[in-house]
Amino acid sequence: VTNPPTNSPPAGEFALIDWIRSRTPTGPNTLLGIGDDCAIIRTTPGNDWLVTTDMLMDGRHFVLDRDGPEAAGRKALAVNLSDIAAMAGTPVAATVSVALPKTHARTIAQGIHEGLSPLARRFNVDLVGGDTNGWDGPLVISVTLFGTCPPQGAVTRAGARPGDQIFVTGPLGGSLLGRHLHPEPRILEAKALIESVPIRAMIDVSDGLVSDLGHILEESGGLGAALDLSHIPIHEDARLMSQADQRSPLDHALNDGEDFELCFVVGPEEAMRLKAGLHPLVLHHVGEVRSEAGIRIRLADGSVRSIVGRGFDHLRP
Ligand SMILES: [Mg+2]
């Protein structure tokens, strides 16, 4: 739901983004502005660039003393790569900006670089600049990543239609047990997918499946979805976390963030082709897009329940 324009920003991260979006006209060089995994910038016709940025903060996205600067650096690039994957793009170059704590600044900077560089090389990302600051605060890393669109055109969140089929690329939930520090960007998977079938809409699961699928449904014109519990791939980590916190494994799979798998939507015929498996990918068919708004899930006993996203919101009070 897009909030109506008001004079002061409403509560909540996504409402704030909507508020900014409603006040930011799309400029002449912008094919797609605020509100997707990447923006699409056009310099010359047929030459479109993807751009995305993510900021990671000590104590929120990683814990420096526990995880080390290498993991923080690697994750800072990986989450941006995941957003390029969500558009089926190819990463090209990145800038890395850091606010370094004054104590151990050089060791931390070296660790960040050593964590980030192998991933950059693996995905052919040139590191082309950034900004290096020091302060008395905690470590903050901000990466901006540029990429190119696939020949088929970038996949946005906005193309789903009723009757389309919903897939995810891997098991979900429990990433906070440690997996969230080592996300595997699905760049090659997205490329293989778009070369197999037209993809109508796609997003990476950063805030939880229900929340992120919700973005696709919202951007596609206020659609809904029917999920099937028996088809949701629940990660072993979700089961482990469930034993500790009494939330069900399904709850973790639906609402935990930072899985960084792709959630995408294809037409019914394309879904059959994907399920026939003429590609090297492991895919999970989790449900169907419906015209009626809201996300519902069919449980093991056949009953159907509405679910509301409780995915991560940075500005939730
Ligand atoms: Mg994203």
Side-chain angles (χ1 to χ4, degrees):
V1 178
T2 304
N3 286 54
T6 54
N7 287 327
S8 58
E13 178 185 359
F14 300 113
L16 174 61
I17 295 170
D18 280 343
W19 183 87
I20 297 168
R21 194 174 169 184
S22 70
R23 281 164 172 70
T24 311
T26 300
N29 308 315
T30 308
L31 287 189
L32 182 67
I34 297 167
D36 214 301
D37 293 286
C38 297
I40 309 176
I41 311 298
R42 170 159 292 181
T43 48
T44 53
N47 185 13
D48 298 336
W49 282 83
L50 299 171
V51 59
T52 183
T53 191
D54 263 298
M55 184 166 70
L56 270 58
M57 300 172 292
D58 182 10
R60 173 57 83 186
H61 302 92
F62 59 88
V63 176
L64 183 60
D65 288 342
R66 182 192 66 197
D67 306 326
E70 293 82 4
R74 187 193 185 281
K75 182 177 179 181
L77 179 57
V79 297
N80 280 279
L81 287 165
S82 184
D83 279 324
I84 295 277
M87 311 292 283
T90 302
V92 173
T95 61
V96 182
S97 297
V98 289
L100 295 164
K102 281 197 177 132
T103 42
H104 310 301
R106 284 187 307 151
T107 317
I108 294 169
Q110 182 182 359
I112 292 170
H113 191 258
E114 285 173 359
L116 195 145
S117 297
L119 192 64
R121 276 196 298 277
R122 210 179 113 206
F123 286 101
N124 297 315
V125 174
D126 295 347
L127 300 174
V128 294
D131 197 8
T132 313
N133 297 305
W135 71 332
D136 294 321
L139 174 63
V140 180
I141 313 173
S142 175
V143 172
T144 299
L145 180 59
F146 300 86
T148 52
C149 295
Q152 297 86 347
V155 181
T156 73
R157 299 174 178 182
R161 305 174 206 169
D164 283 354
Q165 303 299 308
I166 306 162
F167 290 78
V168 294
T169 53
L172 306 172
S175 76
L176 277 179
L177 282 186
R179 233 165 63 247
H180 75 106
L181 285 169
H182 308 280
E184 183 54 39
R186 299 299 184 197
I187 296 280
L188 300 179
E189 289 80 355
K191 194 170 154 63
L193 272 175
I194 201 171
E195 286 170 358
S196 304
V197 297
I199 308 173
R200 295 238 238 255
M202 186 152 63
I203 191 168
D204 64 322
V205 182
S206 56
D207 299 321
L209 176 64
V210 172
S211 176
D212 289 315
L213 173 60
H215 293 311
I216 287 182
L217 300 170
E218 198 176 299
E219 297 296 329
S220 300
L223 300 175
L227 303 178
D228 196 320
L229 166 61
S230 61
H231 294 165
I232 305 283
I234 299 176
H235 199 280
E236 190 51 36
D237 290 344
R239 300 186 198 283
L240 287 173
M241 276 188 91
S242 170
Q243 290 165 10
D245 66 9
Q246 316 305 322
R247 284 173 54 207
S248 70
L250 176 67
D251 187 5
H252 281 287
L254 294 177
N255 291 300
D256 286 1
E258 306 216 310
D259 289 300
F260 298 108
E261 296 293 346
L262 297 173
C263 171
F264 65 95
V265 161
V266 298
E269 278 184 24
E270 287 72 24
M272 298 224 286
R273 277 160 57 197
L274 284 179
K275 288 174 86 170
L278 303 173
H279 54 78
L281 302 163
V282 178
L283 300 173
H284 305 267
H285 181 201
V286 296
E288 182 176 291
V289 177
R290 298 281 171 84
S291 54
E292 188 192 344
I295 299 179
R296 283 163 292 279
I297 188 161
R298 190 180 324 118
L299 303 177
D301 63 3
S303 64
V304 175
R305 207 178 73 189
S306 281
I307 42 178
V308 182
R310 287 186 290 98
F312 198 79
D313 179 333
H314 278 280
L315 300 179
R316 184 179 290 150

